[in-house]
Amino acid sequence: MRRILALLLALACVIALMAGCAPADEGKQPDGSTDKSGDTAETNSGETNETNEGTEETDDDYVVFPANYLFNSTQSGVTDTTYNGGQNGQNLILETLFAKDTDTMEYVPRLAKELDISDDGLVYTVTLNDATFHDGSKVTADDVVFSYNYAAKASSNSSFLSTVVGYDEVAAGTADSVSGIQALDEKTVQFTLSTSDATFMRPLSHSHFSILPQAAFEGMDWADIRTCDFWSHPIGSGPYYISETHYPDYIELSRYDGYYGEPAGVEKVILRYYTDMESVNAAIAAGEVHWCRDTGYEDAINISNQNSDVEVILSDSLYCRYLTVNATGRAEDGQYHPGMTNARVRQALNMLIDKQAICNLYGESATPLSTMVNPNVADYNSDIPLFERNVEKAVEILEEENFDFTMPVRLYTYYTDQVAVDVLDIIVQNFADGGVEAEYYIDGSNGAYIFSAGNFDLMYGAYSVPFASDLYDLYHDDRYVSEDMKPTLKERYTDLQYQWKTTLDPVQQKAIVDQLQYNGMEDMLCIPLYTMSSVTVINSGHFQGFPAHSTDWMSMYDPHTERWQILP
């Protein structure tokens, strides 16, 4: 039988980094109507103070978020949402078809009203809500088709559409539109896939696929859209519209009374620019910024100690830090350690590392990893014991495998911060506990050469994804293995990941992710170190209702603007 997701209306928007504050727009909605209150949207005092190249509100009837990636330095406007929309607040202005509800971890509708998925999982039929853009024009299926065709050409995440019929031709430049995306009528859009795709709700929810008003780009070449005048004052269909701008200092957003869903609980949002995170942290501590997702854990705790209204929230994520092993058997400079091609040696090196000591550098926000998957999430293979360091067993294995203790293991990272140095110092000492000499190199400017030359044995890096199976992308990166290992990688990782993506059965998906973790433990081509929780700080003395979420879903989550509330 056909499976129908008739989903209740929900708000959606993704917020993230930057900007200031300003006077309002005489109570006018962008379509020319007045605010429902009938009052002008001025500050309580009716006066403003010029500060920080912008203006300073004189009341507290708004919330402020930092948005340091919002502005496009090449134009007086915001960045094109297909380029950097997931982190920048555009989703208060621009809508997607669906969003991820971080309360239930289910997808909920935004512009979509209903979703019908065929029995074979190949046809997704989306019925739209009765929504309007901020200029009062209707959101239609043609707008949706236009927006996805643009994203297929311009988005850095266009490959999310790779299973849609006709995407390959657009990617190859032999077609101008994706044939598998069609408007059936004014309110209905159909996506036809070449194979079932367990991840297809991602492009239906990701901010890079926000719905744009086609009429705003009439007669324009695809290549000109990114830098056109539209982005100086973008028009969307989200719960907020741009009511005031002062680039590059701030953008003021006002609640859109024509919004199709439940109205936002806060009338105004100020997106304010700061030059660096130190400035953001100081503003949070001073009560001038009311929410931020990108503050480090230690900084967040310091801020909460300075301001008792600031709450620190940790959210589990699939973010991981790891060591990629150079298992190619070569290095351009000839200093390759031969032990790296031996799976048992790699397992022993994993056992030597005191992962808890590394986690202690991050306080409560870090957790040691046994596999690439966070042990606190449902996708973790619970049959695999939690990691315990075992120096004695590691040394025993290394001796059995005739490991060359006289040749140093070379560690490399492209991170240049002090914590990265501290992590590598711990690993060097841990290896020394097992008689393994190690040395490390830090180079944030010449990483491409290091990668291609293979002048490292272990490379310290990070990865973050919304799906646990994607963590094993790192295992079928054949740049770091020898030729004779490549067929094994395909069988043990690439093929399994394809099976995960093309089945819609959650039981089968869990079994596949479990197997990927077993394979990863055996091969240890990446040595998992630790995961870090996403850190959110919120001034809960001024503002409440913003759901905590992990960075895994930062481009897709529903912040429930209808729940937002400014406290007296």
Side-chain angles (χ1 to χ4, degrees):
M1 59 182 290
R2 296 170 71 82
R3 294 177 294 123
I4 296 179
L5 278 68
L7 300 166
L8 297 177
L9 267 175
L11 287 165
C13 57
V14 179
I15 295 199
L17 289 158
M18 141 183 227
C21 80
D25 200 21
E26 292 297 322
K28 294 290 186 180
Q29 291 288 313
D31 59 5
S33 63
T34 58
D35 291 338
K36 291 181 178 178
S37 64
D39 298 327
T40 58
E42 296 176 347
T43 61
N44 287 347
S45 67
E47 298 176 354
T48 58
N49 297 317
E50 295 292 327
T51 61
N52 192 29
E53 299 183 26
T55 57
E56 188 81 8
E57 292 278 4
T58 56
D59 62 18
D60 293 322
D61 295 334
Y62 58 90
V63 291
V64 179
F65 303 122
N68 288 30
Y69 302 129
L70 178 62
F71 295 105
N72 185 330
S73 60
T74 64
Q75 64 194 72
S76 59
V78 303
T79 56
D80 174 353
T81 186
T82 62
Y83 176 70
N84 210 4
Q87 303 178 37
N88 309 317
Q90 282 100 312
N91 271 21
L92 286 176
I93 309 163
L94 303 171
E95 284 282 67
T96 50
L97 295 175
F98 294 88
K100 188 80 167 182
D101 189 318
T102 54
D103 294 343
T104 65
M105 297 309 292
E106 300 291 335
Y107 289 98
V108 295
R110 291 174 73 170
L111 283 175
K113 181 179 181 181
E114 185 176 282
L115 173 63
D116 180 26
I117 306 175
S118 63
D119 286 342
D120 57 9
L122 297 181
V123 180
Y124 286 62
T125 304
V126 177
T127 303
L128 299 177
N129 273 301
D130 293 326
T132 61
F133 290 107
H134 297 151
D135 62 1
S137 62
K138 292 182 179 180
V139 178
T140 70
D142 286 338
D143 294 310
V144 175
V145 173
F146 167 82
S147 301
Y148 274 87
N149 279 318
Y150 173 55
K153 292 174 173 294
S155 173
S156 58
N157 288 316
S158 63
S159 62
F160 292 172
L161 298 174
S162 62
T163 55
V164 180
V165 172
Y167 168 78
D168 289 343
E169 289 78 3
V170 171
T174 59
D176 204 41
S177 61
V178 182
S179 60
I181 305 176
Q182 296 291 329
L184 303 186
D185 56 42
E186 188 179 67
K187 291 291 185 184
T188 312
V189 183
Q190 193 167 85
F191 298 83
T192 303
L193 311 187
S194 57
T195 183
S196 56
D197 184 351
T199 70
F200 191 65
M201 289 303 297
R202 175 164 52 173
L204 297 184
S205 307
H206 197 286
S207 60
H208 280 210
F209 302 86
S210 297
I211 307 307
L212 305 172
Q214 180 178 10
F217 309 98
E218 192 72 35
M220 195 176 296
D221 292 336
W222 293 112
D224 296 331
I225 291 177
R226 174 160 290 171
T227 56
C228 72
D229 289 343
F230 174 84
W231 300 105
S232 65
H233 199 105
I235 297 170
S237 56
Y240 290 91
Y241 69 94
I242 296 177
S243 53
E244 184 78 19
T245 60
H246 195 289
Y247 300 111
D249 302 314
Y250 67 81
I251 293 179
E252 177 193 82
L253 306 182
S254 293
R255 181 170 53 213
Y256 177 43
D257 288 342
Y259 186 59
Y260 62 89
E262 194 173 348
V266 171
E267 183 178 349
K268 291 189 181 297
V269 176
I270 306 301
L271 303 175
R272 180 182 294 162
Y273 175 77
Y274 291 91
T275 56
D276 50 47
M277 281 306 299
E278 288 185 5
S279 300
V280 173
N281 293 341
I284 299 169
E288 297 168 357
V289 166
H290 306 121
W291 175 92
C292 185
R293 191 194 55 235
D294 294 330
T295 299
Y297 177 75
E298 184 176 343
D299 288 336
I301 294 300
N302 289 336
I303 291 167
S304 68
N305 289 335
Q306 297 174 58
N307 187 334
S308 61
D309 285 339
V310 173
E311 180 181 1
V312 179
I313 303 172
L314 301 180
S315 302
D316 290 329
S317 81
L318 290 175
Y319 179 91
C320 70
R321 291 285 181 106
Y322 59 92
L323 297 173
T324 293
V325 181
N326 178 2
T328 61
R330 67 166 187 85
E332 190 174 277
D333 61 8
Q335 298 181 45
Y336 179 80
H337 197 299
M340 299 303 109
T341 60
N342 185 323
R344 293 197 73 213
V345 166
R346 299 193 293 265
Q347 293 168 9
L349 294 178
N350 176 60
M351 293 178 194
L352 284 175
I353 300 173
D354 189 343
K355 299 179 184 181
Q356 185 57 59
I358 295 174
C359 289
N360 291 342
L361 298 173
Y362 298 92
E364 297 179 11
S365 66
T367 301
L369 287 174
S370 304
T371 74
M372 300 296 284
V373 180
N374 185 337
N376 299 318
V377 304
D379 278 319
Y380 181 70
N381 185 340
S382 58
D383 291 334
I384 295 176
L386 296 179
F387 178 81
E388 290 187 7
R389 189 185 187 213
N390 192 332
V391 176
E392 183 178 345
K393 180 65 175 178
V395 172
E396 178 183 330
I397 292 172
L398 292 173
E399 290 176 344
E400 290 174 355
E401 298 302 317
N402 296 316
F403 181 81
D404 185 351
F405 288 94
T406 66
M407 186 174 188
V409 172
R410 293 191 297 176
L411 301 168
Y412 167 78
T413 189
Y414 41 82
Y415 292 113
T416 58
D417 58 280
Q418 182 58 48
V419 177
V421 173
D422 295 341
V423 169
L424 294 178
D425 280 338
I426 289 174
I427 294 173
V428 167
Q429 181 56 57
N430 293 162
F431 282 0
D433 293 343
V436 176
E437 183 182 353
E439 53 194 28
Y440 64 79
Y441 304 87
I442 295 176
D443 187 346
S445 61
N446 201 22
Y449 169 72
I450 298 291
F451 299 158
S452 62
N455 294 335
F456 67 93
D457 297 310
L458 301 170
M459 179 173 60
Y460 176 54
Y463 202 44
S464 180
V465 292
F467 306 110
S469 66
D470 289 349
L471 289 167
Y472 289 87
D473 289 348
L474 298 164
Y475 277 74
H476 64 75
D477 188 335
D478 59 14
R479 292 177 297 173
Y480 304 122
V481 298
S482 58
E483 288 296 323
D484 61 344
M485 291 178 67
K486 291 181 181 180
T488 301
L489 292 192
K490 181 179 183 303
E491 177 185 348
R492 289 170 66 80
Y493 302 101
T494 310
D495 291 349
L496 279 179
Q497 288 180 302
Y498 182 78
Q499 292 172 28
W500 181 91
K501 184 174 182 177
T502 56
T503 181
L504 303 180
D505 183 342
V507 175
Q508 292 182 28
Q509 288 181 328
K510 179 63 168 67
I512 291 168
V513 173
D514 283 353
Q515 187 61 54
L516 285 168
Q517 291 174 78
Y518 269 126
N519 293 352
M521 289 287 290
E522 291 177 350
D523 297 334
M524 203 56 71
L525 291 168
C526 284
I527 296 176
L529 296 176
Y530 59 98
T531 182
M532 292 177 63
S533 299
S534 299
V535 179
T536 300
V537 291
I538 184 167
N539 188 321
S540 54
H542 174 74
F543 171 57
Q544 67 180 19
F546 202 124
H549 65 283
S550 79
T551 54
D552 305 339
W553 303 103
M554 66 184 177
S555 297
M556 291 180 276
Y557 76 98
D558 181 351
H560 288 293
T561 55
E562 78 280 4
R563 300 180 188 173
W564 292 7
Q565 181 181 359
I566 293 176
L567 302 179

